[in-house]
Amino acid sequence: MKKIIQSAVHFLCFFAFWTAQSQSCPNSDNVPELDGSVCITTKAPLNYQEGDENTINLFVRKFPAKKDRKGSIWLIPGGPGESGASLYPLINQFSNLFPNLDIFVPDHRGTGYSSKICPKEEIVDSPDGMALANDEWGPCFNYMYSNLEYVKAFTITNAARDLSFLINEFSGTEERYIYGVSYGTQLVLRLLQLGTVDLDAVILDSLVPLQDDDEFDLSHRSLVTDDVGKSFLEQVDHRAPNDITLEEQLNSIIERTKTDTEFAANLPKQDLAILFGMMLDIPYVRNSIPEIIKGLNSNDYEPLQKAITQITAFYNDYGAAYQSSTNSIPLTQVITASENNLRPEMTKTEVIDESKDLLFKSPLPSLIAENSMPTYSRDEHFGKTPQHIPPTLIINGTLDSKTHIKGAVRHYKRLAQNSSSISFIRVKNAPHFIALFAPSAFEKVVSRFMNTKAIGNQTVSDDSLEIN
């Protein structure tokens, strides 16, 4: 009976694929990189349980192969609240790298044009688009707590089952590949745990820590950020033997904000350590940190203001052309609180106390503390690794302030226990998201991997990430 139900669902979704190809594709007429893309909206089970007939919509954008087709590759975005739009700015890059592959970019359940946790408040036609406007939070919360079983279906495992279903239905014949970045690496590995998809190779960009790694989980993000920030300062600290270090200078500046009201009044209201933490994510902003420290020491605020302007412009511009680029906060909170926060009991006060002496911070630990959204129970896949792993490339930055390189290595070693076909590549000085911030190194490494499926463990450089 289970096979009959699955076959019926597969048939319906296969038919939906062919009828969906003629549908209007959002933004394809006014955004050059989306021109020629094909949009697919299909039904999928809410829970993948026998007898449960509830369904959700899943949205996928397909970019046909530029040359003779030899297969397909699925690009899995991060998040968990990010939609496929977070990868659209890189489509031309991926198309050039994989010219013979159809490229599929799905919206995770709960993101983009796929079904949302709050169906009325998180859609493109709501007052603030897919973002939640101030007066939409109340109705959104009310809907979530009035539909707990629906919300609890937005799990990592169900999202992995979505991927399995989509890949098996729409990939077509010949070779199959998958790329995941950040949370997308966690989702891809959950997919491999299911063992329901045949893949020729896997590419994992900025591998997240193991779920049971209590040193590098999300509640410890500020500690990770601080360690990476201090490592960067050590690399760029070209001082005379008796001079005060950059770390000591930054510590003095942050302490001064607590006692010098005139100095503090000239600074942004945002926690200075959080601002410095944000600088680490964007290499050209990160490289200005020594100048910013020097400026603040002499009451020159212009380098800091310039950095803030650059950060703001980056996040405002990246993905701004796409209606579906807004992250889903409800989905992020539900998954994070359920599976990726190993210290859910921490209060915001305790988070502040733990990070009070840090020079570089992340806002994330405070945001995820005292979660007020529904959670679901962890299943048998939590903290586990796949038993069978196809040829896999893992590529991580040595200055990744989101996934500490030590956490990525620890995860790689656990995966390698079940496979001898995993290559681990360090990109010197790279932050999170190698495809975006180290495109030259990414292209070279991935091209070699795709040709050989095994390139060994090594450290590579990207000219754009050189530190003086």
Side-chain angles (χ1 to χ4, degrees):
M1 177 60 70
K2 184 176 181 179
K3 290 183 177 180
I4 293 174
I5 292 173
Q6 289 177 333
S7 297
V9 172
H10 288 176
F11 172 79
L12 289 173
C13 292
F14 185 75
F15 176 77
F17 167 61
W18 291 108
T19 58
Q21 291 196 59
S22 61
Q23 76 182 68
S24 175
C25 228
N27 294 130
S28 61
D29 294 334
N30 62 337
V31 180
E33 62 267 26
L34 302 184
D35 184 35
S37 61
V38 177
C39 292
I40 305 164
T41 299
T42 187
K43 296 289 184 183
L46 174 65
N47 277 301
Y48 293 88
Q49 296 174 351
E50 186 174 343
D52 188 343
E53 298 181 356
N54 294 309
T55 62
I56 58 171
N57 290 324
L58 295 178
F59 176 88
V60 181
R61 192 183 289 267
K62 173 186 174 182
F63 299 84
K66 295 174 65 175
K67 298 182 179 179
D68 293 341
R69 183 187 179 280
K70 295 182 180 179
S72 61
I73 184 168
W74 290 73
L75 307 184
I76 311 306
E82 293 180 11
S83 70
S86 65
L87 292 172
Y88 292 166
L90 304 183
I91 280 301
N92 290 334
Q93 176 183 333
F94 280 105
S95 293
N96 291 331
L97 188 55
F98 308 113
N100 300 106
L101 301 178
D102 290 335
I103 297 176
F104 291 87
V105 187
D107 287 349
H108 306 310
R109 60 167 60 198
T111 72
Y113 295 108
S114 292
S115 290
K116 298 298 191 62
I117 284 183
C118 296
K120 292 183 179 179
E121 294 79 19
E122 288 191 283
I123 59 175
V124 70
D125 294 329
S126 65
D128 205 18
M130 292 187 180
L132 288 172
N134 288 337
D135 58 359
E136 290 180 317
W137 281 98
C140 179
F141 270 102
N142 183 62
Y143 182 87
M144 292 171 73
Y145 279 99
S146 299
N147 298 271
L148 286 175
E149 293 309 308
Y150 173 77
V151 174
K152 290 180 180 181
F154 285 76
T155 68
I156 297 177
T157 297
N158 276 340
R161 292 187 177 116
D162 292 341
L163 280 182
S164 174
F165 165 70
L166 292 171
I167 292 170
N168 286 329
E169 288 298 327
F170 302 133
S171 289
T173 58
E174 301 184 76
E175 299 171 352
R176 293 180 178 181
Y177 301 93
I178 194 166
Y179 160 91
V181 59
S182 193
Y183 163 76
T185 66
Q186 185 178 62
L187 184 52
V188 169
L189 290 172
R190 186 65 60 91
L191 169 69
L192 295 182
Q193 281 195 61
L194 299 179
T196 53
V197 174
D198 291 325
L199 295 167
D200 289 274
V202 173
I203 301 169
L204 302 177
D205 180 342
S206 305
L207 177 66
V208 298
L210 288 155
Q211 279 196 304
D212 57 0
D213 191 330
D214 57 10
E215 183 180 1
F216 295 120
D217 78 297
L218 295 184
S219 72
H220 291 85
R221 174 64 63 79
S222 281
L223 300 177
V224 169
T225 301
D226 188 61
D227 186 73
V228 171
K230 290 175 179 176
S231 295
F232 170 76
L233 290 181
E234 186 175 351
Q235 285 193 54
V236 298
D237 200 354
H238 308 303
R239 59 186 177 84
N242 295 323
D243 287 348
I244 187 171
T245 67
L246 282 174
E247 181 178 330
E248 290 170 328
Q249 291 180 56
L250 180 55
N251 182 68
S252 176
I253 289 168
I254 291 178
E255 287 301 315
R256 184 182 171 193
T257 65
K258 302 173 184 178
T259 58
D260 188 334
T261 55
E262 183 178 351
F263 177 67
N266 287 286
L267 299 173
K269 293 182 179 180
Q270 177 67 282
D271 185 331
L272 195 58
I274 288 180
L275 288 175
F276 275 97
M278 295 174 68
M279 294 176 198
L280 298 174
D281 294 328
I282 307 173
Y284 56 85
V285 181
R286 179 186 67 189
N287 291 346
S288 67
I289 289 177
E291 180 187 2
I292 295 170
I293 293 174
K294 180 180 178 181
L296 292 177
N297 269 328
S298 58
N299 296 330
D300 179 3
Y301 308 99
E302 185 174 345
L304 175 61
Q305 292 299 333
K306 180 181 178 182
I308 293 171
T309 300
Q310 290 176 318
I311 293 171
T312 303
F314 175 83
Y315 287 109
N316 284 344
D317 294 344
Y318 191 86
Y322 321 118
Q323 294 174 319
S324 58
S325 63
T326 302
N327 287 5
S328 172
I329 295 177
L331 180 68
T332 299
Q333 289 284 60
V334 168
I335 289 180
T336 298
S338 300
E339 298 201 51
N340 290 332
N341 180 5
L342 297 183
R343 297 190 290 175
E345 74 286 350
M346 282 193 76
T347 65
K348 293 184 183 296
T349 300
E350 290 171 332
V351 170
I352 292 172
D353 185 62
E354 181 179 76
S355 63
K356 64 182 180 180
D357 296 324
L358 302 182
L359 306 183
F360 298 84
K361 298 180 189 176
S362 165
L364 188 60
S366 182
L367 291 173
I368 66 177
E370 300 178 13
N371 172 63
S372 58
M373 296 188 187
T375 59
Y376 57 83
S377 300
R378 297 170 179 173
D379 60 29
E380 69 274 17
H381 301 292
F382 174 82
K384 305 292 178 55
T385 53
Q387 291 300 307
H388 303 286
I389 303 175
T392 297
L393 170 68
I394 300 173
I395 183 167
N396 274 74
T398 62
L399 288 178
D400 186 337
S401 61
K402 290 183 168 64
T403 293
H404 198 289
I405 188 66
K406 291 181 181 178
V409 170
R410 197 175 293 174
H411 197 168
Y412 153 69
K413 289 181 177 179
R414 177 88 68 87
L415 292 172
Q417 293 175 3
N418 296 330
S419 175
S420 60
S421 59
I422 304 178
S423 301
F424 188 90
I425 305 298
R426 293 172 171 84
V427 182
K428 186 179 178 181
N429 300 329
H432 204 67
F433 201 169
I434 305 300
L436 174 61
F437 290 114
S440 177
F442 182 80
E443 179 182 354
K444 291 177 183 177
V445 169
V446 171
S447 295
R448 289 170 51 206
F449 172 76
M450 293 292 283
N451 289 330
T452 63
K453 302 300 185 293
I455 58 176
N457 298 344
Q458 55 188 289
T459 300
V460 301
S461 301
D462 189 297
D463 291 342
S464 66
L465 298 174
E466 288 298 320
I467 296 177
N468 297 321

